[in-house]
Amino acid sequence: MSILQEYETIKKEIGYRKFNMIEDYINEVCPQEKMKEYEEELTKIHKLNFYNWLDYKKKLEKKYGVIFLNDVLYKKQEWEKFEKWYQEKEKDKEIEILNFWLSDYDDMRCNATIKIDGKEVGNIIACYDETDLRYTFGDSDTEMNAIFIKDAFKELILCDLNDYLKLPKISECSKLLQSIYDDVCTSDSSMCHITEEDWQEFYEEEYTDKDIEILKEEVKKYNIEDVITFDDCEYKIIGWSDLETKFIDDRNLNLEKDMEKTI
């Protein structure tokens, strides 16, 4: 078995997220500055014979606190340190899967709530291929029941958590964008089609052409030209399916804060 095959086996055993976080642990324990100093000193001893070089290398590793992937995976003491670090990092993150479904585009989506330090951050719509879910824990033969799918979604969202936390907040968007976003999220087709007639009947009393201009500016600002289009065939505005994945919905949090202020 090659080292890469062995690593793949270990990934399956401990979970892909946990395995990938070893790199974060190593970077935290031994920052790049320390690693750079270590590597610079290492280049100065290249003329030593192999055994002396190896002894000196170990001294440098101790001096700069350098550890490698193999150290964490195969040395009990280093693995226990990583385990403690990992548990500390994970204890403040919670993902609740509210529901999930198969989209019209043959991917699977879920509505999930993210909590950090026990406080709700917001809701997201996460989207993954069925293959990603099936192989999350490394075993393709596992039955894809509701429990497995929810656990797989949690694992994948945790893997991509930093990206989700960087999503723009829908509460900071215009009311028109929020309305289109809500229509996409609640529609059976995950789409929002607005014809000129629809605009006049359902939107014109509340919104003006200025609101459309603001919406166009937001589309550029958030780089979502592919999920909100204008004057497309007979439609004045179209909100496409993936719009629901582009924002984090924090509006309930703002409502709670307003209620607290009122009380």
Side-chain angles (χ1 to χ4, degrees):
M1 179 184 294
S2 70
I3 187 66
L4 291 178
Q5 289 174 323
E6 190 170 346
Y7 283 170
E8 282 300 317
T9 301
I10 295 173
K11 282 183 184 179
K12 293 176 183 179
E13 290 177 353
I14 70 174
Y16 285 87
R17 170 170 170 74
K18 191 171 185 178
F19 184 91
N20 292 336
M21 283 190 70
I22 295 176
E23 182 179 354
D24 294 336
Y25 168 73
I26 291 173
N27 289 335
E28 187 172 311
V29 171
C30 181
Q32 288 300 312
E33 298 78 19
K34 290 290 184 182
M35 180 62 76
K36 186 177 179 181
E37 291 177 28
Y38 160 77
E39 290 173 347
E40 287 175 352
E41 284 211 41
L42 199 60
T43 60
K44 298 175 182 178
I45 61 170
H46 66 280
K47 292 184 179 180
L48 295 177
N49 67 57
F50 176 73
Y51 294 105
N52 288 338
W53 177 87
L54 198 59
D55 288 339
Y56 203 92
K57 178 176 179 291
K58 289 179 180 178
K59 291 178 181 178
L60 289 177
E61 289 172 4
K62 186 175 181 180
K63 175 181 177 180
Y64 291 105
V66 172
I67 58 171
F68 301 98
L69 177 60
N70 282 353
D71 295 324
V72 178
L73 293 179
Y74 300 113
K75 294 180 180 179
K76 182 180 177 181
Q77 185 177 6
E78 291 299 338
W79 177 258
E80 288 175 349
K81 289 179 183 178
F82 167 69
E83 279 277 20
K84 185 177 180 180
W85 175 90
Y86 178 79
Q87 295 301 327
E88 188 67 25
K89 288 287 184 182
E90 291 300 284
K91 72 177 184 180
D92 60 346
K93 300 171 184 175
E94 182 182 350
I95 308 297
E96 181 183 0
I97 307 300
L98 303 178
N99 51 55
F100 61 87
W101 63 94
L102 182 66
S103 80
D104 293 338
Y105 304 95
D106 294 328
D107 54 34
M108 295 199 71
R109 302 190 176 198
C110 75
N111 185 355
T113 299
I114 299 174
K115 294 181 181 179
I116 305 292
D117 290 329
K119 296 181 180 179
E120 186 175 326
V121 176
N123 279 76
I124 60 165
I125 304 295
C127 170
Y128 293 98
D129 290 335
E130 182 180 341
T131 302
D132 293 331
L133 291 159
R134 184 177 295 279
Y135 285 91
T136 299
F137 304 109
D139 187 357
S140 62
D141 297 327
T142 304
E143 181 187 355
M144 291 277 285
N145 55 32
I147 294 175
F148 177 89
I149 292 172
K150 284 188 175 184
D151 286 343
F153 266 122
K154 288 180 183 179
E155 182 76 4
L156 290 171
I157 291 171
L158 283 169
C159 285
D160 298 328
L161 186 58
N162 288 338
D163 292 330
Y164 287 117
L165 294 176
K166 292 176 184 176
L167 288 174
K169 298 176 180 178
I170 195 64
S171 68
E172 297 176 356
C173 299
S174 68
K175 292 297 181 183
L176 181 54
L177 177 50
Q178 290 186 39
S179 176
I180 295 170
Y181 170 84
D182 287 338
D183 286 345
V184 170
C185 290
T186 57
S187 168
D188 290 339
S189 62
S190 294
M191 296 279 286
C192 174
H193 296 94
I194 303 174
T195 63
E196 187 65 46
E197 292 75 19
D198 293 330
W199 181 262
Q200 293 173 6
E201 184 175 355
F202 302 110
Y203 294 86
E204 205 164 54
E205 288 187 7
E206 186 172 356
Y207 303 106
T208 66
D209 289 341
K210 183 178 180 181
D211 292 301
I212 294 181
E213 292 306 313
I214 292 173
L215 176 62
K216 288 180 178 180
E217 291 174 5
E218 290 178 308
V219 168
K220 292 180 181 179
K221 174 183 176 181
Y222 296 118
N223 193 28
I224 53 175
E225 292 93 339
D226 56 334
V227 292
I228 293 184
T229 56
F230 301 91
D231 302 317
D232 192 341
C233 297
E234 72 269 30
Y235 299 107
K236 188 178 185 72
I237 303 173
I238 298 179
W240 299 86
S241 174
D242 280 349
L243 175 62
E244 63 186 3
T245 68
K246 302 295 185 179
F247 294 90
I248 185 166
D249 190 350
D250 61 326
R251 289 171 293 181
N252 285 338
L253 308 183
N254 294 332
L255 285 174
E256 290 173 4
K257 289 178 182 177
D258 290 341
M259 290 177 63
E260 290 174 0
K261 289 178 182 177
T262 303
I263 294 172

